[in-house]
Amino acid sequence: MSYSSDVKVELCQQPLDRPCCTQAEAYGVLLFCNHFSPFGIRITTLSRAFGARLPQLFRSAFGVEFDEAPDLQSPALGKLSFQITNRESIGKILDRFGYNRMGLMTHHINYGVLEDHCCRIAFCRGAFLAGGSVTDPVKGYHLELSTSHLHVHRELQALIPELNLSPRETTRKSNYITYFKQNEAISRFLTTIGAYQASKRVTAARQKKNVLNDVNRQYNCDVANVEKAVQAAQAHIDAIRKLEKSGELEKLPEKLQETARLRCEHPELSLVQLAELCTPPVTKSCLNHRLKKLQEMAK
């Protein structure tokens, strides 16, 4: 089962105990489903949990039944299709949201149905169940709501910020997409509509990625430091070999000769470690000064 399916399973566990919120959730389903007009309603989904919730949702919200519904007990089901073709049942739904039973229907969000904050949340939950999807946070961050109705899309852009969320928007073929790309926004949206466990998974994935990023940054920093130290040590040894070949090394003061010997014997050590081997031990700054002097002399 996909992460998106898990989210819908969790959302379908929300109780249908408030008539206003039940109607608001059903309203979100209708405006983000496959087809909603005075001549028919068709809702298609891959989620069995959502499919099991739909009959109860429409019965509670409008007192209507689906004229066509799949057998959810069948073990081999793909897409689930629910349809209402009875004109009287459709009329009840249209009347509830202020649509005209006759003629063309322009889809809008009737804000009068969503006056309460809880109803706006329920509407968004219904919209996600019918037209939403979310990527597994282990793979990436993307949550979207898709509708074929332009006015609904634009009005959703005004509705969601009232829930302290800031979505982005785009189009895909004939659909209008409201989406989130930031992990914090996705987590907040899921929490808002009632998918608390799914939201925790987003947070946990973000924290894991942050830890891995920190480890990678530290590793890359360590590798870079090692490479830098190796290059510096090689430059020191090249200078020392040049002085040795020319016969100048043996003419140098004893402290510089000791530094040259230790550097050649321990090319893998850092300056701090090398400084501790001197007799007597010196500071890193002192040893660095000696090595730079050897390089200058070699030039």
Side-chain angles (χ1 to χ4, degrees):
M1 186 179 293
S2 68
Y3 174 72
S4 196
S5 298
D6 290 342
V7 173
K8 292 185 179 183
V9 168
E10 184 178 359
L11 291 177
C12 288
Q13 295 171 0
Q14 292 291 318
L16 298 172
D17 52 2
R18 291 174 61 91
C20 62
C21 292
T22 300
Q23 290 183 356
E25 182 178 322
Y27 194 24
V29 170
L30 289 166
L31 292 180
F32 285 79
C33 71
N34 301 82
H35 182 74
F36 173 37
S37 78
F39 308 103
I41 295 171
R42 184 177 72 258
I43 304 168
T44 302
T45 181
L46 289 170
S47 171
R48 286 204 177 205
F50 182 39
R53 184 179 180 84
L54 273 172
Q56 183 183 0
L57 177 66
F58 274 63
R59 195 179 302 120
S60 300
F62 314 115
V64 302
E65 301 288 341
F66 285 98
D67 301 314
E68 295 182 30
D71 179 10
L72 296 176
Q73 302 304 318
S74 174
L77 287 177
K79 284 188 177 181
L80 310 177
S81 182
F82 297 79
Q83 296 191 59
I84 299 177
T85 54
N86 182 280
R87 297 297 293 275
E88 185 58 32
S89 296
I90 296 173
K92 288 182 180 180
I93 296 173
L94 295 174
D95 292 343
R96 179 63 190 85
F97 299 121
Y99 293 111
N100 191 340
R101 289 194 180 200
M102 306 300 295
L104 294 175
M105 176 178 172
T106 302
H107 295 82
H108 285 278
I109 296 178
N110 183 344
Y111 289 105
V113 181
L114 309 176
E115 289 183 353
D116 295 332
H117 184 74
C118 59
C119 293
R120 292 173 183 148
I121 292 174
F123 176 85
C124 290
R125 180 166 57 248
F128 182 84
L129 286 170
S133 64
V134 58
T135 302
D136 189 330
V138 173
K139 299 177 181 178
Y141 301 116
H142 183 86
L143 183 150
E144 67 176 45
L145 302 169
S146 174
T147 179
S148 59
H149 310 305
L150 175 60
H151 295 298
V152 172
H153 167 72
R154 288 178 174 173
E155 289 154 2
L156 182 67
Q157 298 296 308
L159 177 67
I160 288 185
E162 295 182 14
L163 302 176
N164 296 319
L165 296 165
S166 300
R168 301 179 184 180
E169 58 180 312
T170 188
T171 57
R172 186 185 304 128
K173 296 182 180 180
S174 60
N175 292 321
Y176 303 93
I177 312 297
T178 299
Y179 71 97
F180 301 93
K181 295 292 288 186
Q182 300 84 7
N183 51 59
E184 291 183 2
I186 293 172
S187 178
R188 194 159 63 247
F189 180 84
L190 292 175
T191 298
T192 298
I193 64 175
Y196 307 110
Q197 296 305 315
S199 175
K200 289 180 180 179
R201 285 174 63 179
V202 175
T203 302
R206 181 177 71 245
Q207 292 172 342
K208 183 177 180 179
K209 286 182 180 180
N210 289 340
V211 170
L212 290 175
N213 287 338
D214 289 342
V215 170
N216 286 335
R217 277 194 295 270
Q218 185 61 50
Y219 173 77
N220 291 335
C221 182
D222 291 343
V223 169
N225 288 337
V226 169
E227 290 178 350
K228 185 178 178 181
V230 169
Q231 292 173 358
Q234 188 59 53
H236 297 153
I237 293 172
D238 289 344
I240 293 167
R241 295 303 183 204
K242 188 174 182 180
L243 291 171
E244 188 176 37
K245 187 176 180 181
S246 66
E248 295 297 321
L249 185 62
E250 60 187 21
K251 300 177 184 179
L252 297 179
E254 184 179 341
K255 291 181 179 180
L256 290 180
Q257 290 189 42
E258 179 191 40
T259 299
R261 178 179 57 79
L262 290 173
R263 178 76 286 179
C264 292
E265 291 176 354
H266 305 283
E268 78 286 355
L269 296 185
S270 67
L271 294 185
V272 172
Q273 293 169 322
L274 206 61
E276 292 175 353
L277 296 180
C278 292
T279 306
V282 297
T283 64
K284 173 185 175 182
S285 176
C286 177
L287 183 70
N288 188 46
H289 176 73
R290 292 181 184 179
L291 289 168
K292 282 185 176 181
K293 190 168 184 179
L294 289 171
Q295 287 180 293
E296 291 171 359
M297 296 175 68
K299 290 179 181 179

